[in-house]
Amino acid sequence: MVVLPKIPIGLWVEIIVEWAQDNLGVVFDLVTRMIEKTVTVIEQATLSVHPIVVVILVFALVWFLTNWKTALGTAFGLYLIYNMELWKASVETLSLVIVATVLALLMGVPLGILTTRSNLVHKITMPILDLMQTMPSFVYLIPAVLFFGLGQVPGLIATVVFAMPPCIRLTGLGIRQVPVELVEAATAFGSTEWQKLTKVQIPLALPTIMAGINQCIMLSLSMVVIAAMIGAGGLGSEVLAGISRLDIAKGFEGGLAIVIMAMILDRITQSYGEKRKIKQV
Amino acid sequence: MSQIIVKDLVKIFGDHPEEALKMLREGCSKSKILEKTRQTVGVFDINFHVNKGEVFVLMGLSGSGKSTLLRCLNRLIEPTSGTIDIDGQDIIKAKPDMLREIRQKKISMVFQGFALFPHRTVLHNVAYGLEIQGVSLEKRREKAAQMLEVVGLQGWEDSMPSQLSGGMQQRVGLARALVNDPDILLMDEAFSALDPLIRKEMQEELLSLQNTMNKTIIFVTHDLDEALRIGDRIALMNDGAIVQTGTAEEILTNPSDDYVEKFVADVDRSKVVTAESVMKAPTPVVSLKDGPRVALRLMKEHGISSIFVVTKDRKLVGIVLVEDLIQMVNEQKENIIDIIHQDIPKVNMDTPIIDIIPIIAETRFPVAVTREDNRLMGILVKGAVLAGMVRKGGMNGSVA
């Protein structure tokens, strides 16, 4: 039997990661500081007011964005978190989710648009997205720690990488689903590429893009919890502590808080998308 | 005056049209080219011109290349070779900026599926063309509202397109295309998605709009009746090429080949074939100065029982009948003016057969075909009119 030599894929990746660590340290430091600062500002701002005030403000916001039923549910959920004494951890998680989502959208939406405008970009991006989505999420944590050390930032970076693919995919899908005749019409009236994109394609793709944003938020939330393993803090640490101490009560309460946050974020983003759809009809 | 002149236009779909183009010039068939080069020939060997203010119809079955050809005219589809001169400018050579300018100001388009923007109100749909040109909000609202009034949709400005019926939606599409006041209107199966009654209404409306606006319209349709109704001239397409170009009547009466003949076989000819095609030459006639004996001799020669009377410059006066003439001869009278029946049926050269039939059915005289100045151009007899309805080339010696 011929024994084929083992291909050292793992070793190669390791070499690349080490090289980046040695040579791109300055860049990683800069990114770390910027992200840390942003997350801290959001966190501090939220924690500086009394939780009840936040609950009322969020209630008003959700009512404005969706309807009173969702708003009432949201307020109740938030109060429950406060009551379980998980307020600080939840705010930490929420700050991470917000920053991670914003970063993922800032990169994901333009990239998604790009995949519709160039076949080459599309062909290169799709297998990478497949890889990003199927790779077990824990694996991202390893290079993240090597580049950014322990703490919130590596957790956040891993979250962004994990949450971005659906945003890219659904943005691309939404734009490709705009009927050809409408794009033709826009062209026939002499629109520039930019006008076509901003006046026709993006507005019509918006419901699908919103679904992508919704997915992005949900994935951020799930990843932020996993990222607690490398010290990202927040509700994830509560759950982790529950597991390591076999503390059922602590673990369940942490888990419940995560579910509540997920539901709130989901309802807000979904009903916003639906409201737009109804307006169109 | 020709506003659009298309010469040797070819569109080949595929990444490597050169080889296919070469084969096409050598006269290879489309299927052979597809087999050898994997390139699809969309349209080829297209030559036609469209006059200013004309409604030019591109007609053919689906897959005949008519929509492809239409889209070549504003380069929604890039032609592979050939020239398209619009007002003396070859638009295939136009740079992107120039092309956009042409699309914004000169050529507009109306689509089969209406292609209204579902996220914009009716008014903002109509104003789209102005918006991308950077016209101020106030001005474009005003112009768009005016255009909506022209197409009869005032009061619907703030509705969404989905709240409108199909016919109304296409009115919006029409208003959107007209708001820039373009010279040329491209209409791609514009009424095909509408139900028959609404379609007919829209056709009539288009024609009446055309009466006041006088645009150059290129109208694509697969519906022969529609083509015949609205087209000044028609180009019939088959398999990517134009098989025949001409007026409705020319195509109906002189189909250039079997394909055209089959295509037009089911047409209600009575609506299309006109008096001009079925009338006989206006001979014999008598003039006012002729006496009854001259008239009687002519009638005997031609075996007819009545004869038209004209002035010196062949303007129609009326008709005299054989029995009156015989009585006149018997009474030794000479001036036929006393027995002329002046109250006789007359039609124009372009009166369709369907309008002639009731006239011919009610009168005992032959029907005269006259010009606006009352000059006698021809004579209609029952037999020829009926023949014109059923067979091609119903021209029994027309006056050229």
mmCIF file of all heavy atoms in Angstrom, chain A residues 39-82:
data_model
loop_
_atom_site.group_PDB
_atom_site.id
_atom_site.type_symbol
_atom_site.label_atom_id
_atom_site.label_comp_id
_atom_site.label_asym_id
_atom_site.label_seq_id
_atom_site.Cartn_x
_atom_site.Cartn_y
_atom_site.Cartn_z
ATOM 1 N N VAL A 39 -17.104 50.070 21.939
ATOM 2 C CA VAL A 39 -17.937 49.213 22.777
ATOM 3 C C VAL A 39 -18.109 49.827 24.159
ATOM 4 O O VAL A 39 -19.227 49.888 24.695
ATOM 5 C CB VAL A 39 -17.313 47.801 22.899
ATOM 6 C CG1 VAL A 39 -18.127 46.942 23.859
ATOM 7 C CG2 VAL A 39 -17.224 47.137 21.539
ATOM 8 N N THR A 40 -16.990 50.344 24.706
ATOM 9 C CA THR A 40 -17.054 50.929 26.043
ATOM 10 C C THR A 40 -17.994 52.125 26.089
ATOM 11 O O THR A 40 -18.792 52.272 27.014
ATOM 12 C CB THR A 40 -15.638 51.379 26.493
ATOM 13 O OG1 THR A 40 -14.722 50.351 26.170
ATOM 14 C CG2 THR A 40 -15.613 51.642 27.982
ATOM 15 N N VAL A 41 -17.928 52.969 25.053
ATOM 16 C CA VAL A 41 -18.779 54.163 25.043
ATOM 17 C C VAL A 41 -20.252 53.762 25.079
ATOM 18 O O VAL A 41 -21.039 54.280 25.880
ATOM 19 C CB VAL A 41 -18.484 55.026 23.789
ATOM 20 C CG1 VAL A 41 -19.579 56.072 23.591
ATOM 21 C CG2 VAL A 41 -17.131 55.697 23.926
ATOM 22 N N ILE A 42 -20.623 52.813 24.231
ATOM 23 C CA ILE A 42 -22.026 52.383 24.200
ATOM 24 C C ILE A 42 -22.433 51.792 25.547
ATOM 25 O O ILE A 42 -23.499 52.107 26.096
ATOM 26 C CB ILE A 42 -22.253 51.342 23.085
ATOM 27 C CG1 ILE A 42 -21.953 51.972 21.719
ATOM 28 C CG2 ILE A 42 -23.687 50.806 23.114
ATOM 29 C CD1 ILE A 42 -22.074 51.014 20.567
ATOM 30 N N GLU A 43 -21.557 50.958 26.062
ATOM 31 C CA GLU A 43 -21.826 50.308 27.343
ATOM 32 C C GLU A 43 -22.028 51.328 28.453
ATOM 33 O O GLU A 43 -23.023 51.302 29.186
ATOM 34 C CB GLU A 43 -20.613 49.435 27.671
ATOM 35 C CG GLU A 43 -20.941 48.064 28.198
ATOM 36 C CD GLU A 43 -19.653 47.287 28.403
ATOM 37 O OE1 GLU A 43 -19.194 46.675 27.428
ATOM 38 O OE2 GLU A 43 -19.096 47.328 29.515
ATOM 39 N N GLN A 44 -21.071 52.263 28.541
ATOM 40 C CA GLN A 44 -21.122 53.278 29.605
ATOM 41 C C GLN A 44 -22.383 54.126 29.481
ATOM 42 O O GLN A 44 -23.040 54.433 30.478
ATOM 43 C CB GLN A 44 -19.893 54.201 29.521
ATOM 44 C CG GLN A 44 -18.568 53.492 29.760
ATOM 45 C CD GLN A 44 -18.476 52.894 31.163
ATOM 46 O OE1 GLN A 44 -19.015 53.455 32.109
ATOM 47 N NE2 GLN A 44 -17.833 51.740 31.264
ATOM 48 N N ALA A 45 -22.687 54.502 28.252
ATOM 49 C CA ALA A 45 -23.845 55.361 28.034
ATOM 50 C C ALA A 45 -25.115 54.674 28.526
ATOM 51 O O ALA A 45 -25.954 55.278 29.194
ATOM 52 C CB ALA A 45 -23.970 55.696 26.545
ATOM 53 N N THR A 46 -25.241 53.392 28.199
ATOM 54 C CA THR A 46 -26.445 52.670 28.604
ATOM 55 C C THR A 46 -26.498 52.472 30.107
ATOM 56 O O THR A 46 -27.542 52.605 30.748
ATOM 57 C CB THR A 46 -26.503 51.291 27.920
ATOM 58 O OG1 THR A 46 -26.108 51.443 26.561
ATOM 59 C CG2 THR A 46 -27.896 50.714 27.969
ATOM 60 N N LEU A 47 -25.336 52.167 30.690
ATOM 61 C CA LEU A 47 -25.310 51.884 32.123
ATOM 62 C C LEU A 47 -25.426 53.151 32.962
ATOM 63 O O LEU A 47 -25.705 53.078 34.157
ATOM 64 C CB LEU A 47 -24.027 51.127 32.481
ATOM 65 C CG LEU A 47 -23.991 49.671 31.997
ATOM 66 C CD1 LEU A 47 -22.644 49.056 32.280
ATOM 67 C CD2 LEU A 47 -25.106 48.857 32.633
ATOM 68 N N SER A 48 -25.193 54.329 32.327
ATOM 69 C CA SER A 48 -25.186 55.560 33.114
ATOM 70 C C SER A 48 -26.599 55.968 33.544
ATOM 71 O O SER A 48 -26.769 56.732 34.482
ATOM 72 C CB SER A 48 -24.530 56.688 32.327
ATOM 73 O OG SER A 48 -25.329 56.972 31.198
ATOM 74 N N VAL A 49 -27.618 55.483 32.843
ATOM 75 C CA VAL A 49 -28.986 55.804 33.282
ATOM 76 C C VAL A 49 -29.592 54.593 33.998
ATOM 77 O O VAL A 49 -29.156 53.458 33.794
ATOM 78 C CB VAL A 49 -29.890 56.192 32.086
ATOM 79 C CG1 VAL A 49 -29.631 57.620 31.679
ATOM 80 C CG2 VAL A 49 -29.708 55.238 30.940
ATOM 81 N N HIS A 50 -30.621 54.866 34.768
ATOM 82 C CA HIS A 50 -31.261 53.782 35.515
ATOM 83 C C HIS A 50 -31.953 52.811 34.563
ATOM 84 O O HIS A 50 -32.589 53.237 33.592
ATOM 85 C CB HIS A 50 -32.284 54.363 36.502
ATOM 86 C CG HIS A 50 -32.736 53.347 37.517
ATOM 87 N ND1 HIS A 50 -33.798 52.513 37.281
ATOM 88 C CD2 HIS A 50 -32.253 53.027 38.731
ATOM 89 C CE1 HIS A 50 -33.958 51.710 38.326
ATOM 90 N NE2 HIS A 50 -33.012 52.014 39.226
ATOM 91 N N PRO A 51 -31.817 51.509 34.812
ATOM 92 C CA PRO A 51 -32.417 50.504 33.921
ATOM 93 C C PRO A 51 -33.876 50.773 33.583
ATOM 94 O O PRO A 51 -34.301 50.599 32.440
ATOM 95 C CB PRO A 51 -32.270 49.211 34.717
ATOM 96 C CG PRO A 51 -31.057 49.417 35.536
ATOM 97 C CD PRO A 51 -30.996 50.887 35.874
ATOM 98 N N ILE A 52 -34.647 51.242 34.581
ATOM 99 C CA ILE A 52 -36.073 51.470 34.327
ATOM 100 C C ILE A 52 -36.271 52.539 33.258
ATOM 101 O O ILE A 52 -37.133 52.437 32.391
ATOM 102 C CB ILE A 52 -36.800 51.864 35.635
ATOM 103 C CG1 ILE A 52 -36.768 50.704 36.624
ATOM 104 C CG2 ILE A 52 -38.240 52.268 35.347
ATOM 105 C CD1 ILE A 52 -37.450 49.425 36.149
ATOM 106 N N VAL A 53 -35.415 53.577 33.302
ATOM 107 C CA VAL A 53 -35.495 54.630 32.278
ATOM 108 C C VAL A 53 -35.231 54.019 30.899
ATOM 109 O O VAL A 53 -35.935 54.306 29.919
ATOM 110 C CB VAL A 53 -34.467 55.744 32.572
ATOM 111 C CG1 VAL A 53 -34.549 56.820 31.490
ATOM 112 C CG2 VAL A 53 -34.705 56.343 33.949
ATOM 113 N N VAL A 54 -34.214 53.134 30.834
ATOM 114 C CA VAL A 54 -33.891 52.485 29.557
ATOM 115 C C VAL A 54 -35.088 51.671 29.066
ATOM 116 O O VAL A 54 -35.469 51.727 27.895
ATOM 117 C CB VAL A 54 -32.647 51.585 29.695
ATOM 118 C CG1 VAL A 54 -32.359 50.879 28.379
ATOM 119 C CG2 VAL A 54 -31.449 52.408 30.136
ATOM 120 N N VAL A 55 -35.694 50.930 30.003
ATOM 121 C CA VAL A 55 -36.849 50.104 29.623
ATOM 122 C C VAL A 55 -37.940 50.978 29.006
ATOM 123 O O VAL A 55 -38.501 50.646 27.950
ATOM 124 C CB VAL A 55 -37.404 49.346 30.858
ATOM 125 C CG1 VAL A 55 -38.734 48.670 30.499
ATOM 126 C CG2 VAL A 55 -36.396 48.319 31.348
ATOM 127 N N ILE A 56 -38.212 52.129 29.637
ATOM 128 C CA ILE A 56 -39.265 53.004 29.128
ATOM 129 C C ILE A 56 -38.890 53.559 27.750
ATOM 130 O O ILE A 56 -39.709 53.575 26.820
ATOM 131 C CB ILE A 56 -39.536 54.161 30.128
ATOM 132 C CG1 ILE A 56 -40.164 53.571 31.389
ATOM 133 C CG2 ILE A 56 -40.454 55.212 29.518
ATOM 134 C CD1 ILE A 56 -40.197 54.518 32.562
ATOM 135 N N LEU A 57 -37.624 53.976 27.610
ATOM 136 C CA LEU A 57 -37.179 54.527 26.330
ATOM 137 C C LEU A 57 -37.308 53.486 25.218
ATOM 138 O O LEU A 57 -37.794 53.759 24.125
ATOM 139 C CB LEU A 57 -35.724 55.013 26.440
ATOM 140 C CG LEU A 57 -35.509 56.345 27.172
ATOM 141 C CD1 LEU A 57 -34.023 56.677 27.261
ATOM 142 C CD2 LEU A 57 -36.268 57.469 26.471
ATOM 143 N N VAL A 58 -36.848 52.267 25.512
ATOM 144 C CA VAL A 58 -36.908 51.202 24.504
ATOM 145 C C VAL A 58 -38.370 50.896 24.159
ATOM 146 O O VAL A 58 -38.732 50.707 22.996
ATOM 147 C CB VAL A 58 -36.180 49.927 24.989
ATOM 148 C CG1 VAL A 58 -36.433 48.766 24.038
ATOM 149 C CG2 VAL A 58 -34.699 50.187 25.117
ATOM 150 N N PHE A 59 -39.227 50.897 25.205
ATOM 151 C CA PHE A 59 -40.659 50.675 24.991
ATOM 152 C C PHE A 59 -41.207 51.683 23.973
ATOM 153 O O PHE A 59 -41.871 51.321 22.988
ATOM 154 C CB PHE A 59 -41.381 50.810 26.344
ATOM 155 C CG PHE A 59 -42.880 50.771 26.226
ATOM 156 C CD1 PHE A 59 -43.546 49.568 26.005
ATOM 157 C CD2 PHE A 59 -43.625 51.933 26.345
ATOM 158 C CE1 PHE A 59 -44.918 49.531 25.898
ATOM 159 C CE2 PHE A 59 -45.003 51.903 26.236
ATOM 160 C CZ PHE A 59 -45.655 50.703 26.015
ATOM 161 N N ALA A 60 -40.863 52.956 24.174
ATOM 162 C CA ALA A 60 -41.354 54.003 23.277
ATOM 163 C C ALA A 60 -40.807 53.796 21.859
ATOM 164 O O ALA A 60 -41.537 53.892 20.865
ATOM 165 C CB ALA A 60 -40.945 55.380 23.811
ATOM 166 N N LEU A 61 -39.523 53.468 21.782
ATOM 167 C CA LEU A 61 -38.884 53.296 20.481
ATOM 168 C C LEU A 61 -39.530 52.146 19.694
ATOM 169 O O LEU A 61 -39.863 52.259 18.511
ATOM 170 C CB LEU A 61 -37.385 53.037 20.671
ATOM 171 C CG LEU A 61 -36.584 52.847 19.388
ATOM 172 C CD1 LEU A 61 -36.380 54.194 18.696
ATOM 173 C CD2 LEU A 61 -35.243 52.179 19.653
ATOM 174 N N VAL A 62 -39.718 51.022 20.411
ATOM 175 C CA VAL A 62 -40.285 49.847 19.736
ATOM 176 C C VAL A 62 -41.725 50.114 19.309
ATOM 177 O O VAL A 62 -42.156 49.718 18.229
ATOM 178 C CB VAL A 62 -40.198 48.608 20.654
ATOM 179 C CG1 VAL A 62 -40.931 47.428 20.032
ATOM 180 C CG2 VAL A 62 -38.757 48.244 20.906
ATOM 181 N N TRP A 63 -42.459 50.847 20.169
ATOM 182 C CA TRP A 63 -43.837 51.187 19.813
ATOM 183 C C TRP A 63 -43.856 52.012 18.522
ATOM 184 O O TRP A 63 -44.624 51.784 17.595
ATOM 185 C CB TRP A 63 -44.496 51.960 20.968
ATOM 186 C CG TRP A 63 -45.985 52.071 20.817
ATOM 187 C CD1 TRP A 63 -46.723 51.700 19.728
ATOM 188 C CD2 TRP A 63 -46.907 52.563 21.768
ATOM 189 N NE1 TRP A 63 -48.047 51.924 19.938
ATOM 190 C CE2 TRP A 63 -48.203 52.461 21.194
ATOM 191 C CE3 TRP A 63 -46.784 53.083 23.071
ATOM 192 C CZ2 TRP A 63 -49.345 52.858 21.859
ATOM 193 C CZ3 TRP A 63 -47.924 53.489 23.742
ATOM 194 C CH2 TRP A 63 -49.197 53.367 23.135
ATOM 195 N N PHE A 64 -42.944 52.972 18.487
ATOM 196 C CA PHE A 64 -42.842 53.835 17.312
ATOM 197 C C PHE A 64 -42.495 53.023 16.063
ATOM 198 O O PHE A 64 -43.048 53.216 14.990
ATOM 199 C CB PHE A 64 -41.785 54.915 17.558
ATOM 200 C CG PHE A 64 -41.521 55.783 16.371
ATOM 201 C CD1 PHE A 64 -42.455 56.726 15.959
ATOM 202 C CD2 PHE A 64 -40.336 55.658 15.663
ATOM 203 C CE1 PHE A 64 -42.215 57.516 14.858
ATOM 204 C CE2 PHE A 64 -40.090 56.450 14.551
ATOM 205 C CZ PHE A 64 -41.031 57.384 14.152
ATOM 206 N N LEU A 65 -41.544 52.088 16.217
ATOM 207 C CA LEU A 65 -41.076 51.314 15.064
ATOM 208 C C LEU A 65 -42.063 50.232 14.654
ATOM 209 O O LEU A 65 -42.215 49.936 13.473
ATOM 210 C CB LEU A 65 -39.725 50.662 15.369
ATOM 211 C CG LEU A 65 -38.494 51.566 15.357
ATOM 212 C CD1 LEU A 65 -37.264 50.779 15.759
ATOM 213 C CD2 LEU A 65 -38.292 52.199 13.986
ATOM 214 N N THR A 66 -42.720 49.592 15.645
ATOM 215 C CA THR A 66 -43.592 48.469 15.297
ATOM 216 C C THR A 66 -45.010 48.696 15.801
ATOM 217 O O THR A 66 -45.749 49.460 15.212
ATOM 218 C CB THR A 66 -43.025 47.150 15.857
ATOM 219 O OG1 THR A 66 -42.971 47.234 17.270
ATOM 220 C CG2 THR A 66 -41.629 46.884 15.321
ATOM 221 N N ASN A 67 -45.391 48.023 16.878
ATOM 222 C CA ASN A 67 -46.729 48.228 17.422
ATOM 223 C C ASN A 67 -46.694 48.096 18.945
ATOM 224 O O ASN A 67 -45.679 47.708 19.514
ATOM 225 C CB ASN A 67 -47.710 47.214 16.816
ATOM 226 C CG ASN A 67 -47.207 45.795 16.999
ATOM 227 O OD1 ASN A 67 -46.821 45.398 18.108
ATOM 228 N ND2 ASN A 67 -47.173 45.024 15.935
ATOM 229 N N TRP A 68 -47.811 48.383 19.580
ATOM 230 C CA TRP A 68 -47.806 48.439 21.042
ATOM 231 C C TRP A 68 -47.642 47.069 21.674
ATOM 232 O O TRP A 68 -47.072 46.933 22.749
ATOM 233 C CB TRP A 68 -49.039 49.154 21.585
ATOM 234 C CG TRP A 68 -50.346 48.418 21.342
ATOM 235 C CD1 TRP A 68 -51.164 48.559 20.279
ATOM 236 C CD2 TRP A 68 -50.938 47.433 22.179
ATOM 237 N NE1 TRP A 68 -52.232 47.729 20.376
ATOM 238 C CE2 TRP A 68 -52.133 47.027 21.542
ATOM 239 C CE3 TRP A 68 -50.591 46.866 23.416
ATOM 240 C CZ2 TRP A 68 -52.972 46.068 22.089
ATOM 241 C CZ3 TRP A 68 -51.434 45.909 23.960
ATOM 242 C CH2 TRP A 68 -52.609 45.517 23.306
ATOM 243 N N LYS A 69 -48.095 46.015 20.976
ATOM 244 C CA LYS A 69 -47.973 44.674 21.552
ATOM 245 C C LYS A 69 -46.504 44.276 21.683
ATOM 246 O O LYS A 69 -46.052 43.811 22.735
ATOM 247 C CB LYS A 69 -48.692 43.656 20.653
ATOM 248 C CG LYS A 69 -50.187 43.617 20.854
ATOM 249 C CD LYS A 69 -50.780 42.502 19.990
ATOM 250 C CE LYS A 69 -52.268 42.724 19.806
ATOM 251 N NZ LYS A 69 -52.769 41.999 18.652
ATOM 252 N N THR A 70 -45.765 44.459 20.568
ATOM 253 C CA THR A 70 -44.340 44.151 20.597
ATOM 254 C C THR A 70 -43.644 44.999 21.655
ATOM 255 O O THR A 70 -42.771 44.518 22.389
ATOM 256 C CB THR A 70 -43.706 44.422 19.217
ATOM 257 O OG1 THR A 70 -44.556 43.897 18.219
ATOM 258 C CG2 THR A 70 -42.340 43.790 19.099
ATOM 259 N N ALA A 71 -44.044 46.276 21.734
ATOM 260 C CA ALA A 71 -43.421 47.189 22.681
ATOM 261 C C ALA A 71 -43.642 46.702 24.118
ATOM 262 O O ALA A 71 -42.722 46.709 24.949
ATOM 263 C CB ALA A 71 -43.993 48.590 22.498
ATOM 264 N N LEU A 72 -44.866 46.249 24.381
ATOM 265 C CA LEU A 72 -45.193 45.783 25.730
ATOM 266 C C LEU A 72 -44.374 44.541 26.079
ATOM 267 O O LEU A 72 -43.783 44.438 27.168
ATOM 268 C CB LEU A 72 -46.688 45.460 25.790
ATOM 269 C CG LEU A 72 -47.347 45.649 27.153
ATOM 270 C CD1 LEU A 72 -47.244 47.102 27.586
ATOM 271 C CD2 LEU A 72 -48.798 45.184 27.121
ATOM 272 N N GLY A 73 -44.292 43.605 25.136
ATOM 273 C CA GLY A 73 -43.501 42.392 25.337
ATOM 274 C C GLY A 73 -42.039 42.725 25.593
ATOM 275 O O GLY A 73 -41.392 42.153 26.488
ATOM 276 N N THR A 74 -41.555 43.671 24.804
ATOM 277 C CA THR A 74 -40.164 44.098 24.948
ATOM 278 C C THR A 74 -39.901 44.648 26.356
ATOM 279 O O THR A 74 -38.944 44.260 27.028
ATOM 280 C CB THR A 74 -39.854 45.202 23.904
ATOM 281 O OG1 THR A 74 -40.112 44.677 22.618
ATOM 282 C CG2 THR A 74 -38.397 45.634 23.994
ATOM 283 N N ALA A 75 -40.788 45.538 26.788
ATOM 284 C CA ALA A 75 -40.623 46.157 28.112
ATOM 285 C C ALA A 75 -40.640 45.093 29.202
ATOM 286 O O ALA A 75 -39.809 45.107 30.123
ATOM 287 C CB ALA A 75 -41.732 47.181 28.343
ATOM 288 N N PHE A 76 -41.562 44.143 29.064
ATOM 289 C CA PHE A 76 -41.655 43.080 30.059
ATOM 290 C C PHE A 76 -40.368 42.247 30.097
ATOM 291 O O PHE A 76 -39.820 41.961 31.162
ATOM 292 C CB PHE A 76 -42.859 42.180 29.750
ATOM 293 C CG PHE A 76 -42.982 41.024 30.694
ATOM 294 C CD1 PHE A 76 -43.353 41.227 32.025
ATOM 295 C CD2 PHE A 76 -42.697 39.722 30.278
ATOM 296 C CE1 PHE A 76 -43.449 40.164 32.904
ATOM 297 C CE2 PHE A 76 -42.787 38.661 31.140
ATOM 298 C CZ PHE A 76 -43.170 38.880 32.465
ATOM 299 N N GLY A 77 -39.869 41.892 28.920
ATOM 300 C CA GLY A 77 -38.639 41.104 28.820
ATOM 301 C C GLY A 77 -37.465 41.821 29.465
ATOM 302 O O GLY A 77 -36.701 41.238 30.249
ATOM 303 N N LEU A 78 -37.340 43.109 29.147
ATOM 304 C CA LEU A 78 -36.223 43.880 29.694
ATOM 305 C C LEU A 78 -36.319 43.961 31.217
ATOM 306 O O LEU A 78 -35.324 43.869 31.941
ATOM 307 C CB LEU A 78 -36.200 45.283 29.076
ATOM 308 C CG LEU A 78 -35.746 45.354 27.617
ATOM 309 C CD1 LEU A 78 -35.783 46.790 27.117
ATOM 310 C CD2 LEU A 78 -34.334 44.781 27.452
ATOM 311 N N TYR A 79 -37.571 44.141 31.690
ATOM 312 C CA TYR A 79 -37.739 44.215 33.133
ATOM 313 C C TYR A 79 -37.314 42.910 33.797
ATOM 314 O O TYR A 79 -36.680 42.893 34.857
ATOM 315 C CB TYR A 79 -39.194 44.542 33.502
ATOM 316 C CG TYR A 79 -39.393 44.556 34.999
ATOM 317 C CD1 TYR A 79 -38.917 45.627 35.757
ATOM 318 C CD2 TYR A 79 -39.982 43.476 35.657
ATOM 319 C CE1 TYR A 79 -39.039 45.621 37.133
ATOM 320 C CE2 TYR A 79 -40.108 43.461 37.030
ATOM 321 C CZ TYR A 79 -39.633 44.536 37.765
ATOM 322 O OH TYR A 79 -39.728 44.525 39.123
ATOM 323 N N LEU A 80 -37.658 41.797 33.147
ATOM 324 C CA LEU A 80 -37.301 40.483 33.674
ATOM 325 C C LEU A 80 -35.783 40.352 33.806
ATOM 326 O O LEU A 80 -35.256 39.859 34.818
ATOM 327 C CB LEU A 80 -37.842 39.398 32.735
ATOM 328 C CG LEU A 80 -38.054 38.011 33.358
ATOM 329 C CD1 LEU A 80 -39.063 38.069 34.483
ATOM 330 C CD2 LEU A 80 -38.506 37.021 32.284
ATOM 331 N N ILE A 81 -35.065 40.829 32.764
ATOM 332 C CA ILE A 81 -33.589 40.779 32.803
ATOM 333 C C ILE A 81 -33.077 41.578 34.003
ATOM 334 O O ILE A 81 -32.203 41.143 34.754
ATOM 335 C CB ILE A 81 -33.006 41.341 31.487
ATOM 336 C CG1 ILE A 81 -33.281 40.363 30.335
ATOM 337 C CG2 ILE A 81 -31.505 41.586 31.616
ATOM 338 C CD1 ILE A 81 -32.846 40.858 28.979
ATOM 339 N N TYR A 82 -33.658 42.769 34.167
ATOM 340 C CA TYR A 82 -33.257 43.644 35.278
ATOM 341 C C TYR A 82 -33.525 42.935 36.595
ATOM 342 O O TYR A 82 -32.695 42.910 37.505
ATOM 343 C CB TYR A 82 -34.054 44.948 35.179
ATOM 344 C CG TYR A 82 -33.921 45.846 36.387
ATOM 345 C CD1 TYR A 82 -32.664 46.334 36.788
ATOM 346 C CD2 TYR A 82 -35.053 46.233 37.119
ATOM 347 C CE1 TYR A 82 -32.551 47.161 37.878
ATOM 348 C CE2 TYR A 82 -34.935 47.065 38.208
ATOM 349 C CZ TYR A 82 -33.682 47.527 38.594
ATOM 350 O OH TYR A 82 -33.564 48.335 39.680
#
